[in-house]
Amino acid sequence: MTVIIEFPFVHLHNHSMIHIRFSSAINLHHILKNTFFVKQLQNKEEDKDALAAKAKEEAIALREAMAKQLPKFPPNYDLTQSEATHGGDFTHFYRFACGEEMALLPQQDSKGANNGTNGSTVTDNDWMDEDVGESEGTQSKKKKAKNTKKKAKNNHGNGADNNRNSKNKGANGAAPSASTPTSNPIFSLAETEQLLHSLNNQTIIDLTIRLSGYHSPPPHRRILGDLAYIEAIMPGSATIHITAFSLGFYVNKTNATGFDPTPAAEPYYSHSLLDCLLLKSKSLREAWSIALQASHKRAELLKQAALSEDAFAQLYRPAVSHWWNNHSGTALGSGVAVPAPSSFSSRLDSVTLRPSWLVPLPMLGNKRLDTWRDHSSLHKWNVARSEEELTSTYGMDIRGGGIRDWNEELQAARDMGVETLEQRIERARMIHKVLSDFSDAALQGIHAIFDGYITPMNPNEPARSHVYLHNNIFFSRAVDAGLDTFKIIQGDRAARKSASREAANVGVIHRLDVPGLYTLGTVLVEYLGTRFVCQSVVPGILHGEKAHTLTYGAVEALSELQCDAEMHKVLEESLGEECMVATRSILSKPLSDERMEAIRQFKSTLALPTNAAIEESESQVDAEVKANNVCGPVEMKGILGSDKRKYVLDCTRLTPRDANWVAKANGGTGYWEAAASLLGENSKTSRLIPATLEDDEWTASILRPELVTSYADEKLKQFLLIRQAKEAETSSIVVTNGVSETSSDQDPVPADANEKEKDWVDVETSGKGTTEEAKKEEEEFIQSLRYNVNVFLPYMKSIENANQDAHAQLQKDEEEARQIASYLWNTVLPDVTKELRLANGSVIQIPVDGKSLTEFLHKRGINCRYLGRLADLAKVEEQNDVEAEKVYEKNKKEAKLPRFRMPLCWLELLECEIVARAAKHVLDFYLTDNGGTAAIQPAQTIASFLSAVISTSEETASETELRISASKGDAIDTDDINSLTLFDVGGKGDAVHKPVRGRSEIWSDIEKEIGRRFRYTLSLYNNNAARGRALYAPLLRRICQRSGIRIAAKAYDVGRKCVCGGGSNSGGRLDYSYPIAAVDIIDVLPLVKHAASSGEESFTPCLFNASASPSLHIVLADAKAISDAAHRHLNNGNISIASEYAQEAASLYQRVAESPLHLQIAKCINLLSKCHFYGQDHDMAILSSLKNLAVSVSLGGFDCMETVSAHSQLSDAYFAAGKVKEGMKHVRAVQFLMEFLAGANYSQLSSMYYKVGTQYFECEKLVEALSFYEVAQMKRSDDRMVDGIISSSAAMALAHLGKFNEASSKEKIAYQLYQALLGEDHDRTKISSGSLLVSF
């Protein structure tokens, strides 16, 4: 018999039961007779009280332990880090982004060791800002080692960030990590970096080895065995000449005065060059001995530090370190690389795949550089660097004996077998590798083109029309090259957009992976305002028309459209069935007569040969009356290459043109014209927004495939509802013996068997007819879901006279396109606005920056050109909130407030992205204007432009003088800028177009671009009425990201007055700009868009000397199927199966990508961490969440949406495991990143600060709790219920502190909100009212 007595035990995180079991072999009657047990039962109430008291004591102990883990903030501490989030101080940006706050008070034991009383301990703040000697760091190491060995035994493996927490000094230093010491708590992060810097310096030997000027050996010496002559400059500047021969190396008699390769008196022969030099030079032997000892110490240091650093800490350390030579591979603990023989490059680039827009300033010696102009001292003399550039092949791999044929490699990989899983993996791996190598080679080719190392194929044509062939890659600018080729667009803007659309559609075909249809490797590279299209070469296309065959479309503008039956079948099976592109009849010469005449006149200026003109005239016979069936855009071309493969080129559209951006007179919806008619003629809006939609760029504006899919889903719903209604109506009538009767529960009795059989036959025949009719109806409906992609095209001839049916179908197609555009305007855009209004009450997370905003809109089928329309809708919602509050203020007793408000951050994010996109196009125009003269020396143009954008007005001369005089010589002036290089070379500066414009001119161009591109007028920027809501720091970040600009991580005076230097005659001199100077521009990076990239990727900044491949799409359906299955199992609660599937999918993706840094792998790791978290496996949840954070940072940087989500997920895992200290660090990182990226009005900030305040309140840290509650009240919540809860919690904290008057005021605010939202009868309102009556 077993008796179970249960006692409730209250835990801080969950409620469990204590089960006390008594077992015996006798029955319960005999047990009750036992006097002792009966006495125990009589005293069970006392036992319950004792256990309850014990549970209470344990809860108190746990609360005290949690309270000790919570960080302590000094009085009047700025919890929002306003200088970093809004003030433009980026000096310690990466520390805040990682949750390492410098002003946090360290958690130190009053009796503990290492309290730093002698001042010798190196703190993180000392490392950042003070001149600390290396010997102090070494002394600190010895003192800390003695006091931490005892703790190491009891704390093995308690977290990965513990190494940074061994210091106990520095109230103003960086906050220590939240975990307890580990088995190797010898060094703090600062000491590790400083010691590593010192050891790296010792391993650097001042030795130069190069080929001698006497190399190569003359013939008479070569036949004696000489292979090479080497010149080595030893430490101390002694020069040694070495002869290399087949048996080794020896010192020869060559000197500065003459050549003598014969052995010296003491040749110091050795099989190794290093041994030969060591034997010869004493100074090298001494330096080599020191370097070896330092190398051993460095290896031990890295080994100890690696044991205590997790995946994220290995990324965090290079981000905050300023020691330029501490590069140790991609993570701490990996092999240490010798410092590169080049100028300083941020260590941040070694741990992130995407270069950051913000570069930390380096340190020289033990002092951080004040300005970037001092970084020249880091550029060391190195002959090997110059030789490397001279011998660079710019992406060409000639070691194999020939140039790589990218197209053949790519198509051969696509033709690999797919029968088994291993074959599919190998095929996907080869495709991924070839495309990755191709993008790297394309980027190197662009570098060579801009440096002038590649000769164009058409040097006699204008520079903008130059095309290049390098490394079997064809390079061309995305510009309008003229009328000689068949196309329906014109203008450079349309050409740029069309190139981007073509790359996206090539990616769609690549992801479809249709056998028999091939696409070229395609990469877009944008650099200094110029967009290049890089493509592999179609076999035979460069060897004349006989080497390849045009099977679809037309190349020449006056030629007929070709339509090969076999090619059309392939396109119908791929684009038609998979992309729902309709096949339509088009004239074989579809261009209008006016367009054809313009082309003929253009051709006549090119002096075509006579035979070409005759052939062209003969091809016109009956061309106007012929029609072809085309599946795809009319300008698409199909080519049968010399390798007999079918290639698709110029696929610029897979969805219809957007009818909202077509003039109503040309068949558009007319919504924009109707909106413009409501504006006043003399208003600022009417002056900035064009009156018509006649713009070349909108010709290439198409609907997003997500929108077409959403519209098709709506049509399918309506179709199914109609069919269900018909079936219900049909099933309600039963035909029996030719008589219609209403069906009942009982079957009718037949007259006889023959009649019954006849009835069954009739029913079967009728059902068969109904089924065939339903199938036919379904087929017709499916065909109606296919869309004509050639609607609303300019310069097209009407097909009405040639084919009436085709013309009628075209009218239907245009009406369908208008319906889709109307669905977007009237349904999707308002629904998104409503969705965001209720975001706090749903699972929707509002985007935090421009990139996540773009992805948010694209997933809903909204193009970014509708940002202006969304901003207008947001303004209307905000005005409705203002009106509702006015009504409530007039009559608080009767008026009701809506619970949810429109997030203010939504309009702020929209306008920030609008300005950033428009500014990017304006800056591109400045860099390419006047033949691209500004791009030659772009630093000043970029600095002046950025200064104008992040300012409110321009300084006067007197204000500039006062500011410079107040800076005490620290400010950079015009003389400092012009001292950097030689600009004033005589004359009046008329030879070169002035690259600098004033603030008013820059903002005028930006507003005009916004009016044209978004049909919107700004209300938050360049507007004194709403200056407080402008997001200047996020705007600067976004412009830098979209333009590839890198700036120094220092303090910039954003949101105030600027100096641009425009409007003055500088006579060739550079102009001083403020707050961003030319010396603050670190670099301008190329932007790369790969056609095969994942759907979320667009133009991403890349380094010329690094990999240019973003996360490419992996052509492996098996991995995607397993990943989707993992999501389904997780949604169904099958956590263990979901975890296994996620690991398997990640393994398959990694086998293909050969790297964990891939977008799909990141998603699998994120899913895996969720599985562990939901399964309450806290240790594994922490480990997987750390990996998720590390991969997110490596892919997107320290300040992206994915990193914010990863920080939040990791903090939840730490809190669930009871590690409050570590969790708080990542919560603080989330708070900082949210406010920095989205502004102070971001909707989730108030709840984030409230949650932290609740943690402190539960641990009875009332002062800190009240501080967080006050910040939460300052942040605007979009849910008024949250405002009431925060006010009530603040009132409770004030009451516990004895501040009853303030508590009463807070509770009154909560009561008024509850009353207005819930009414007097709601329980929450009654509780609040009772609190006011009883407590206060």
Side-chain angles (χ1 to χ4, degrees):
M1 173 66 71
T2 301
V3 181
I4 303 176
I5 304 176
E6 298 182 348
F7 301 94
F9 176 71
V10 180
H11 193 272
L12 288 176
H13 297 289
N14 53 23
H15 296 280
S16 58
M17 305 295 291
I18 297 180
H19 299 275
I20 304 178
R21 297 177 179 267
F22 301 94
S23 300
S24 176
I26 59 177
N27 56 37
L28 183 60
H29 177 72
H30 291 93
I31 294 177
L32 295 177
K33 285 186 177 181
N34 188 294
T35 305
F36 176 76
F37 190 77
V38 170
K39 184 177 180 181
Q40 291 295 100
L41 291 177
Q42 291 175 349
N43 296 330
K44 62 181 180 179
E45 295 297 332
E46 289 79 357
D47 292 340
K48 287 184 178 180
D49 294 340
L51 287 175
K54 183 178 180 181
K56 184 177 181 181
E57 292 176 358
E58 292 179 356
I60 293 174
L62 286 174
R63 185 165 59 246
E64 291 176 352
M66 290 177 59
K68 290 181 180 179
Q69 293 187 60
L70 288 173
K72 182 179 179 181
F73 293 90
N76 301 322
Y77 181 69
D78 184 10
L79 295 174
T80 63
Q81 303 292 347
S82 58
E83 285 298 320
T85 53
H86 312 299
D89 187 358
F90 306 141
T91 306
H92 303 306
F93 171 82
Y94 290 105
R95 302 180 71 86
F96 294 137
C98 298
E100 300 286 342
E101 299 180 63
M102 293 175 293
L104 278 177
L105 292 177
Q107 306 297 309
Q108 56 184 3
D109 187 358
S110 59
K111 296 182 181 180
N114 297 330
N115 54 16
T117 55
N118 60 358
S120 61
T121 302
V122 180
T123 65
D124 286 355
N125 198 44
D126 294 332
W127 164 48
M128 293 290 292
D129 298 319
E130 301 294 335
D131 298 339
V132 181
E134 297 171 359
S135 59
E136 294 179 355
T138 307
Q139 294 173 5
S140 174
K141 170 185 174 181
K142 295 178 180 180
K143 294 183 178 181
K144 285 182 177 287
K146 295 180 180 179
N147 296 314
T148 53
K149 288 181 180 179
K150 295 181 180 179
K151 296 182 180 180
K153 297 180 180 179
N154 300 323
N155 295 282
H156 179 70
N158 288 339
D161 293 333
N162 305 330
N163 193 34
R164 298 195 297 271
N165 309 320
S166 58
K167 67 181 183 58
N168 290 298
K169 182 195 173 215
N172 296 324
S177 181
S179 53
T180 55
T182 63
S183 59
N184 293 284
I186 299 178
F187 308 111
S188 69
L189 183 145
E191 293 169 322
T192 300
E193 281 295 300
Q194 190 165 359
L195 288 173
L196 186 59
H197 170 68
S198 174
L199 294 173
N200 281 336
N201 282 339
Q202 295 178 38
T203 58
I204 298 175
I205 300 176
D206 188 12
L207 172 65
T208 301
I209 301 176
R210 60 187 179 185
L211 291 174
S212 173
Y214 297 108
H215 181 80
S216 61
H220 70 279
R221 291 297 305 181
R222 186 179 297 276
I223 61 177
L224 290 176
D226 290 0
L227 300 177
Y229 300 130
I230 301 172
E231 179 181 309
I233 303 176
M234 299 291 104
S237 301
T239 302
I240 300 176
H241 292 270
I242 304 291
T243 296
F245 68 117
S246 58
L247 299 179
F249 303 87
Y250 62 83
V251 179
N252 60 33
K253 298 179 180 178
T254 301
N255 53 36
T257 60
F259 170 66
D260 187 357
T262 59
E266 296 184 18
Y268 300 104
Y269 164 76
S270 176
H271 293 287
S272 168
L273 175 61
L274 176 61
D275 291 340
C276 178
L277 294 175
L278 289 174
L279 291 172
K280 172 63 177 176
S281 174
K282 179 180 179 181
S283 61
L284 180 60
R285 289 195 297 272
E286 295 174 351
W288 184 256
S289 176
I290 296 174
L292 284 178
Q293 296 177 9
S295 178
H296 291 306
K297 293 179 181 179
R298 181 177 60 186
E300 184 65 24
L301 171 65
L302 293 175
K303 180 180 178 181
Q304 293 176 357
L307 295 175
S308 61
E309 283 193 333
D310 56 36
F312 177 64
Q314 295 170 6
L315 303 179
Y316 159 74
R317 190 177 65 88
V320 300
S321 173
H322 300 286
W323 302 112
W324 65 278
N325 67 341
N326 279 13
H327 178 67
S328 56
T330 57
L332 183 62
S334 60
V336 179
V338 177
S342 61
S343 61
F344 172 80
S345 61
S346 175
R347 290 176 59 204
L348 199 61
D349 297 337
S350 66
V351 296
T352 56
L353 189 63
R354 179 177 301 170
S356 176
W357 64 280
L358 198 63
V359 180
L361 289 170
M363 296 190 74
L364 188 60
N366 291 307
K367 184 177 181 181
R368 187 172 55 196
L369 301 181
D370 295 328
T371 62
W372 193 260
R373 58 181 174 177
D374 296 330
H375 85 290
S376 298
S377 57
L378 299 176
H379 189 78
K380 304 300 182 182
W381 183 86
N382 195 317
V383 177
R385 182 171 55 247
S386 59
E387 292 179 351
E388 181 181 357
E389 182 175 357
L390 288 174
T391 58
S392 175
T393 59
Y394 292 98
M396 294 179 62
D397 187 4
I398 59 177
R399 292 170 296 180
I403 303 175
R404 295 179 66 175
D405 190 340
W406 299 105
N407 186 77
E408 181 58 30
E409 289 186 26
L410 177 59
Q411 313 313 337
R414 286 173 174 166
D415 291 338
M416 292 175 66
V418 293
E419 287 77 15
T420 65
L421 177 60
E422 289 299 325
Q423 288 180 341
R424 292 192 293 272
I425 292 175
E426 184 63 20
R427 174 179 181 268
R429 190 186 68 82
M430 288 301 299
I431 293 176
H432 188 275
K433 185 180 187 308
V434 172
L435 289 176
S436 298
D437 294 346
F438 174 77
S439 62
D440 296 344
L443 188 59
Q444 292 297 318
I446 294 296
H447 192 190
I449 290 173
F450 271 91
D451 287 349
Y453 291 114
I454 300 178
T455 304
M457 300 175 65
N458 51 346
N460 295 328
E461 296 185 13
R464 67 193 312 272
S465 301
H466 284 174
V467 295
Y468 306 84
L469 183 64
H470 174 72
N471 196 13
N472 273 336
I473 302 176
F474 186 77
F475 301 89
S476 62
R477 289 178 172 85
V479 296
D480 186 5
L483 300 176
D484 54 337
T485 58
F486 180 80
K487 59 180 182 296
I488 61 170
I489 63 172
Q490 64 180 5
D492 290 346
R493 291 171 176 169
R496 287 170 63 94
K497 184 177 286 293
S498 180
S500 180
R501 298 286 79 80
E502 180 187 357
N505 293 335
V506 169
V508 172
I509 300 174
H510 169 73
R511 286 187 284 273
L512 290 178
D513 198 16
V514 178
L517 187 64
Y518 298 89
T519 58
L520 303 178
T522 304
V523 172
L524 301 184
V525 180
E526 192 167 304
Y527 185 55
L528 293 175
T530 302
R531 179 173 296 181
F532 274 86
V533 181
C534 316
Q535 291 180 314
S536 58
V537 182
V538 177
I541 200 170
L542 298 177
H543 300 88
E545 296 182 355
K546 295 182 179 180
H548 69 282
T549 306
L550 179 67
T551 60
Y552 218 76
V555 176
E556 295 293 332
L558 299 178
S559 301
E560 294 184 23
L561 296 181
Q562 302 297 320
C563 184
D564 180 71
E566 187 176 353
M567 186 70 178
H568 180 75
K569 181 181 178 181
V570 174
L571 292 175
E572 179 68 26
E573 293 175 353
S574 55
L575 302 185
E577 296 180 2
E578 300 294 337
C579 301
M580 303 305 290
V581 176
T583 298
R584 294 291 184 261
S585 294
I586 295 179
L587 293 176
S588 59
K589 283 201 171 182
L591 297 182
S592 63
D593 295 336
E594 294 80 4
R595 182 74 165 180
M596 296 286 282
E597 182 61 29
I599 294 172
R600 291 189 185 98
Q601 293 180 1
F602 176 79
K603 290 278 188 178
S604 64
T605 62
L606 300 179
L608 289 174
T610 306
N611 56 353
I614 295 175
E615 292 176 0
E616 186 274 324
S617 63
E618 292 178 351
S619 66
Q620 289 185 356
V621 179
D622 297 332
E624 286 78 10
V625 297
K626 294 172 58 178
N628 294 331
N629 289 330
V630 176
C631 181
V634 64
E635 61 266 42
M636 183 178 68
K637 302 169 184 60
I639 295 178
L640 182 65
S642 59
D643 58 353
K644 304 305 178 183
R645 295 189 179 104
K646 300 179 180 65
Y647 294 91
V648 173
L649 283 73
D650 294 342
C651 184
T652 57
R653 290 183 310 281
L654 290 178
T655 53
R657 186 182 171 190
D658 191 350
N660 291 330
W661 294 84
V662 178
K664 189 174 183 180
N666 298 330
T669 58
Y671 290 130
W672 281 121
E673 288 92 333
S677 64
L678 300 177
L679 303 175
E681 295 182 358
N682 297 324
S683 64
K684 180 181 178 181
T685 303
S686 62
R687 294 193 301 269
L688 294 176
I689 297 177
T692 65
L693 290 170
E694 298 296 336
D695 194 308
D696 294 334
E697 185 172 355
W698 307 140
T699 307
S701 297
I702 60 176
L703 299 170
R704 290 200 61 83
E706 297 90 347
L707 176 69
V708 177
T709 302
S710 175
Y711 180 76
D713 291 341
E714 291 295 325
K715 287 185 64 176
L716 179 60
K717 291 178 183 178
Q718 297 296 326
F719 173 77
L720 293 177
L721 289 175
I722 294 173
R723 193 171 70 172
Q724 287 177 1
K726 289 182 179 180
E727 290 176 354
E729 182 180 356
T730 304
S731 62
S732 64
I733 300 175
V734 177
V735 180
T736 305
N737 295 327
V739 180
S740 297
E741 297 181 357
T742 304
S743 62
S744 60
D745 294 338
Q746 297 181 353
D747 295 332
V749 180
D752 52 34
N754 293 332
E755 292 295 331
K756 181 177 181 181
E757 183 179 355
K758 180 179 178 180
D759 291 341
W760 276 108
V761 172
D762 292 342
V763 171
E764 290 176 359
T765 305
S766 176
K768 183 177 181 180
T770 304
T771 303
E772 291 178 354
E773 182 179 354
K775 288 183 178 179
K776 182 178 179 180
E777 187 178 0
E778 288 179 0
E779 291 178 358
E780 293 178 353
F781 174 74
I782 292 174
Q783 290 298 324
S784 69
L785 295 180
R786 291 194 176 188
Y787 303 102
N788 187 356
V789 299
N790 295 313
V791 293
F792 308 120
L793 299 183
Y795 315 116
M796 296 287 286
K797 181 182 295 186
S798 175
I799 199 174
E800 183 176 4
N801 297 329
N803 191 328
Q804 292 288 340
D805 294 337
H807 179 70
Q809 183 63 49
L810 179 62
Q811 299 300 316
K812 294 180 181 179
D813 294 338
E814 290 183 349
E815 179 59 30
E816 189 71 11
R818 279 190 291 270
Q819 291 296 327
I820 301 176
S822 299
Y823 170 72
L824 171 61
W825 185 278
N826 297 321
T827 302
V828 177
L829 296 179
D831 287 350
V832 168
T833 304
K834 294 176 183 177
E835 186 180 21
L836 287 162
R837 187 181 184 90
L838 304 176
N840 269 7
S842 64
V843 296
I844 304 264
Q845 183 177 357
I846 299 178
V848 297
D849 66 342
K851 181 176 179 293
S852 57
L853 171 64
T854 302
E855 294 175 359
F856 177 83
L857 296 179
H858 284 177
K859 288 179 180 178
R860 287 156 179 79
I862 303 174
N863 302 88
C864 286
R865 58 179 173 271
Y866 285 98
L867 288 171
R869 178 59 182 170
L870 288 171
D872 286 330
L873 295 175
K875 287 181 183 178
V876 173
E877 294 295 327
E878 288 186 7
Q879 186 62 33
N880 293 338
D881 291 338
V882 173
E883 296 297 332
E885 291 179 359
K886 288 182 179 179
V887 173
Y888 172 73
E889 290 295 332
K890 292 180 180 178
N891 190 1
K892 291 186 177 182
K893 293 183 179 181
E894 298 181 0
K896 294 293 183 180
L897 276 175
R899 175 175 174 178
F900 297 103
R901 295 178 288 194
M902 189 66 192
L904 295 180
C905 65
W906 179 240
L907 178 61
E908 295 169 1
L909 280 172
L910 289 173
E911 286 213 3
C912 181
E913 184 67 9
I914 287 172
V915 176
R917 287 175 174 267
K920 191 258 183 188
H921 289 282
V922 173
L923 181 58
D924 287 347
F925 170 74
Y926 290 169
L927 293 175
T928 57
D929 188 25
N930 197 30
T933 54
I936 300 174
Q937 297 171 329
Q940 180 58 54
T941 301
I942 295 173
S944 298
F945 183 85
L946 295 178
S947 298
V949 172
I950 63 173
S951 63
T952 57
S953 60
E954 198 157 5
E955 283 184 349
T956 63
S958 59
E959 290 174 337
T960 302
E961 290 181 4
L962 289 175
R963 178 176 51 78
I964 293 177
S965 61
S967 65
K968 298 180 180 179
D970 295 333
I972 303 174
D973 57 14
T974 304
D975 293 335
D976 293 331
I977 297 295
N978 283 275
S979 65
L980 297 176
T981 185
L982 189 62
F983 288 96
D984 193 355
V985 292
K988 297 181 179 180
D990 297 332
V992 178
H993 178 69
K994 183 176 176 57
V996 179
R997 292 168 173 82
R999 183 186 181 278
S1000 59
E1001 184 180 356
I1002 291 173
W1003 267 107
S1004 176
D1005 292 340
I1006 291 175
E1007 289 182 332
K1008 288 179 182 178
E1009 182 67 15
I1010 290 173
R1012 186 194 70 85
R1013 183 171 295 275
F1014 302 103
R1015 302 188 71 82
Y1016 179 73
T1017 304
L1018 295 174
S1019 60
L1020 305 182
Y1021 293 88
N1022 202 31
N1023 188 345
N1024 295 330
R1027 184 180 300 174
R1029 292 182 60 185
L1031 307 179
Y1032 290 109
L1035 177 60
L1036 175 61
R1037 168 185 175 271
R1038 189 60 177 156
I1039 293 176
C1040 291
Q1041 286 181 333
R1042 291 193 60 82
S1043 301
I1045 301 170
R1046 310 185 82 181
I1047 62 175
K1050 55 184 290 188
Y1052 300 101
D1053 200 7
V1054 303
R1056 294 180 176 86
K1057 293 186 177 182
C1058 72
V1059 176
C1060 296
S1064 63
N1065 184 10
S1066 60
R1069 289 167 57 84
L1070 280 183
D1071 289 316
Y1072 158 70
S1073 60
Y1074 174 83
I1076 300 178
V1079 292
D1080 298 325
I1081 307 300
I1082 307 305
D1083 197 2
V1084 181
L1085 303 178
L1087 303 172
V1088 178
K1089 179 178 182 178
H1090 203 300
S1093 63
S1094 300
E1096 293 83 354
E1097 294 287 342
S1098 183
F1099 281 96
T1100 57
C1102 299
L1103 297 171
F1104 274 124
N1105 57 351
S1107 176
S1109 301
S1111 294
L1112 303 183
H1113 175 75
I1114 293 178
V1115 190
L1116 186 63
D1118 305 77
K1120 186 179 184 303
I1122 295 174
S1123 177
D1124 294 342
H1127 282 90
R1128 289 195 301 270
H1129 282 291
L1130 181 61
N1131 294 334
N1132 295 332
N1134 302 325
I1135 298 177
S1136 60
I1137 300 177
S1139 176
E1140 294 177 2
Y1141 279 20
Q1143 293 183 47
E1144 180 64 22
S1147 176
L1148 290 177
Y1149 281 127
Q1150 188 162 349
R1151 287 182 63 183
V1152 174
E1154 298 180 338
S1155 170
L1157 300 182
H1158 192 276
L1159 185 62
Q1160 296 299 330
I1161 298 176
K1163 291 180 178 179
C1164 293
I1165 296 175
N1166 183 26
L1167 179 63
L1168 185 62
S1169 63
K1170 290 180 180 178
C1171 293
H1172 291 315
F1173 181 77
Y1174 295 147
Q1176 297 184 358
D1177 188 350
H1178 301 312
D1179 293 336
M1180 290 302 299
I1182 291 174
L1183 290 176
S1184 56
S1185 297
L1186 279 169
K1187 291 180 181 178
N1188 180 34
L1189 178 59
V1191 173
S1192 299
V1193 169
S1194 298
L1195 288 175
F1198 287 85
D1199 54 347
C1200 65
M1201 179 77 170
E1202 293 76 15
T1203 299
V1204 175
S1205 301
H1207 274 296
S1208 179
Q1209 191 168 328
L1210 180 56
S1211 67
D1212 292 340
Y1214 273 129
F1215 284 139
K1219 298 182 178 181
V1220 181
K1221 215 172 181 186
E1222 292 89 337
M1224 281 296 300
K1225 183 181 75 170
H1226 293 281
V1227 166
R1228 291 292 292 160
V1230 172
Q1231 291 173 347
F1232 170 77
L1233 288 174
M1234 281 184 175
E1235 189 156 358
F1236 177 81
L1237 297 176
N1241 291 323
Y1242 188 65
S1243 59
Q1244 296 184 10
L1245 276 175
S1246 59
S1247 59
M1248 289 293 298
Y1249 280 100
Y1250 170 72
K1251 290 177 182 178
V1252 176
T1254 303
Q1255 290 276 356
Y1256 280 94
F1257 184 82
E1258 291 179 354
C1259 295
E1260 298 181 356
K1261 288 195 170 187
L1262 303 177
V1263 176
E1264 289 85 354
L1266 184 60
S1267 299
F1268 279 96
Y1269 286 151
E1270 290 175 349
V1271 175
Q1273 284 184 300
M1274 290 188 296
K1275 306 299 179 184
R1276 183 183 186 270
S1277 174
D1278 304 325
D1279 188 352
R1280 289 187 171 92
M1281 280 295 299
V1282 175
D1283 291 341
I1285 295 172
I1286 295 173
S1287 297
S1288 182
S1289 300
M1292 191 177 299
L1294 288 168
H1296 281 75
L1297 291 172
K1299 301 178 180 180
F1300 298 106
N1301 291 333
E1302 298 179 21
S1304 178
S1305 301
K1306 298 291 185 182
E1307 191 63 41
K1308 285 180 181 178
I1309 296 174
Y1311 172 74
Q1312 291 175 355
L1313 287 173
Y1314 294 152
Q1315 184 185 32
L1317 298 173
L1318 306 174
E1320 290 285 354
D1321 298 332
H1322 197 274
D1323 293 340
R1324 192 176 288 275
T1325 308
K1326 293 179 180 179
I1327 293 173
S1328 180
S1329 177
S1331 299
L1332 285 172
L1333 295 175
V1334 176
S1335 302
F1336 309 130

